[in-house]
Amino acid sequence: MTIQITHTRREGTLIDGTSRSDGSAKILKLRQYGRTLRQPFRWSRNLDCWYLPHSRDHAAYTPSLELLAQRLRDAGLDTTLTVDNTDRRTFAEAEQDREDRAEARADRFAGYADNAARNSQAAWKSAHEISGRFEFGQPILRGHHSEPRALRDRARMDTSMRKSISEGDRAQHWADRQKAAANYEQFRTNPGRTLRRLDKLRADLRAVEKWQRGESAKGYSRNPADPELPIRHEELTEEIAHWEQVINDAEAKGFKVWSKVDFTRGDFALYRGTWYEVLRVNPKSVTIRHIFNSTGRTVVRATDDGYDGWTSTAPYDDVSGRKSAAEMQQPSQVEATEHQQEAAEHSPWVSAALAAAA
């Protein structure tokens, strides 16, 4: 039987045609594949074939696949290699698939957590029932006919309590993973994180466009005729459009995208729950007193300098509010900052809405 190594952006790198006795598993499990040359292939019961983790939606690293194909051939196995980097999903399709998978994981982990919690409770109940024999401090009577049973009960009680603790730990583990999976979409679409992601994607797109024009970018050049460049350009354009729509939706719900035009020197910026007086306005951030000055304070002014002129920068994508110097001088406004700080600690959306309404 011929072993088929195939790669597409849509499906990733898959290997069909192997069997348990052909010796291919030993080769596939080597941690020497992928772009990092440190990844092993894994077996998927759902796909019923081997696959390379994290290879979907990426171009194939051909040298790694050619190395694998040659190793299989050297082992006496007939092997073919097919790479088609043009077959791909749209970014919207890929992102929806990731969200669906996260939701399915959340449901699955919730089931695991429930089962572990029930097992923990059952084990605790069993130990509690056994301990009823010893609740008044009844000792084990050595040499008495009750000694064997008492020793067995003590061992069973110990085993049940250990199982209860172990299952309780498992329940907490799966509950934490369920929470992480359930929060996947919220994590991905967090406005501040999305703005930072957009900056990187736009920089990547500019680099691709330079390479297509035959110019150098990111410290090196690429062949303008490289067939990967048009594909990458299309991918980046789709992804940027997707995340820009996420920001538009967030703005419609009250999120404010701050920029250089919103601040002047002397204004106050709400940064990670503390109001800082703006020392300088930069293209992508504002300069503030060093964050060490914020310990125990809700407002840090320019005169609050306990670190010999040290400063920090607050990126606009991490700023969640603005007030003028005049507004900060009003007692009611200063008191309001404490409430806004509490809101910012619980939800950046709430703090954004408060700042927009002010």
Side-chain angles (χ1 to χ4, degrees):
M1 181 180 293
T2 300
I3 296 178
Q4 301 171 341
I5 305 173
T6 61
H7 176 88
T8 63
R9 274 179 158 87
R10 182 179 299 276
E11 300 296 338
T13 304
L14 305 177
I15 299 180
D16 289 299
T18 62
S19 63
R20 287 181 177 273
S21 59
D22 62 8
S24 60
K26 183 177 180 180
I27 298 173
L28 293 170
K29 289 180 179 180
L30 294 173
R31 293 180 176 272
Q32 299 176 3
Y33 305 112
R35 187 166 295 276
T36 63
L37 297 179
R38 295 180 180 180
Q39 287 181 276
F41 280 81
R42 295 180 181 175
W43 176 261
S44 170
R45 288 179 294 178
N46 293 331
L47 298 174
D48 195 32
C49 67
W50 293 87
Y51 74 99
L52 183 64
H54 312 298
S55 60
R56 294 186 77 182
D57 305 312
H58 295 285
Y61 185 60
T62 308
S64 172
L65 298 184
E66 290 175 343
L67 172 64
L68 171 62
Q70 188 58 49
R71 285 175 172 173
L72 292 172
R73 292 178 186 129
D74 291 344
L77 301 171
D78 189 17
T79 305
T80 62
L81 172 60
T82 304
V83 175
D84 182 4
N85 284 316
T86 62
D87 183 11
R88 70 180 190 88
R89 306 183 290 180
T90 65
F91 181 79
E93 291 174 337
E95 190 66 12
Q96 185 61 52
D97 179 62
R98 284 188 281 268
E99 291 176 4
D100 292 343
R101 288 175 178 270
E103 185 176 348
R105 286 197 303 273
D107 292 340
R108 186 168 68 253
F109 296 158
Y112 295 163
D114 289 343
N115 288 338
R118 285 195 296 269
N119 292 339
S120 177
Q121 182 64 22
W124 178 87
K125 184 178 180 180
S126 175
H128 184 69
E129 290 174 350
I130 296 172
S131 68
R133 291 191 57 201
F134 306 94
E135 62 181 343
F136 296 114
Q138 174 64 40
I140 297 177
L141 303 177
R142 298 298 179 180
H144 192 267
H145 65 83
S146 63
E147 180 185 3
R149 180 185 175 186
L151 291 174
R152 288 194 300 271
D153 286 345
R154 187 172 67 176
R156 288 170 55 209
M157 184 170 61
D158 180 73
T159 300
S160 295
M161 285 304 300
R162 290 180 183 277
K163 181 178 179 181
S164 176
I165 295 171
S166 175
E167 289 296 313
D169 291 342
R170 287 186 65 247
Q172 185 61 53
H173 167 77
W174 290 117
D176 290 342
R177 293 198 61 181
Q178 184 272 335
K179 183 178 180 180
N183 291 337
Y184 172 83
E185 183 177 359
Q186 181 180 357
F187 174 85
R188 288 281 285 178
T189 58
N190 174 272
R193 188 174 291 107
T194 301
L195 288 172
R196 291 190 288 275
R197 185 184 299 120
L198 277 169
D199 285 343
K200 179 181 182 303
L201 291 172
R202 288 166 180 153
D204 290 343
L205 181 60
R206 290 193 296 270
V208 170
E209 291 173 344
K210 286 185 177 181
W211 288 326
Q212 289 179 310
R213 295 193 299 265
E215 302 173 6
S216 175
K218 295 187 175 182
Y220 62 97
S221 300
R222 293 179 63 173
N223 183 356
D226 186 346
E228 179 64 19
L229 292 179
I231 300 174
R232 187 60 183 148
H233 189 283
E234 188 175 358
E235 287 180 332
L236 288 169
T237 302
E238 287 180 1
E239 190 170 356
I240 289 171
H242 175 86
W243 295 121
E244 285 178 340
Q245 185 58 49
V246 169
I247 293 298
N248 292 337
D249 293 343
E251 287 183 302
K253 296 177 181 178
F255 178 76
K256 167 66 177 175
V257 179
W258 301 101
S259 66
K260 181 179 180 179
V261 299
D262 295 308
F263 292 91
T264 59
R265 182 176 180 179
D267 288 344
F268 284 78
L270 181 59
Y271 175 60
R272 299 185 178 180
T274 301
W275 288 95
Y276 292 89
E277 185 172 351
V278 175
L279 305 178
R280 185 168 58 251
V281 179
N282 311 308
K284 293 187 177 182
S285 65
V286 290
T287 301
I288 58 177
R289 285 299 175 200
H290 200 281
I291 57 174
F292 289 169
N293 290 287
S294 67
T295 303
R297 297 178 178 178
T298 58
V299 179
V300 176
R301 302 182 184 277
T303 54
D304 299 330
D305 182 15
Y307 289 87
D308 297 330
W310 290 10
T311 61
S312 297
T313 56
Y316 294 123
D317 54 45
D318 213 2
V319 170
S320 52
R322 171 202 170 274
K323 287 190 182 296
S324 67
E327 289 174 318
M328 291 300 294
Q329 292 297 331
Q330 300 175 15
S332 60
Q333 292 293 340
V334 175
E335 293 174 2
T337 61
E338 297 180 359
H339 298 290
Q340 293 194 25
Q341 181 188 23
E342 295 177 0
E345 291 174 352
H346 289 86
S347 171
W349 290 81
V350 175
S351 63
L354 288 169

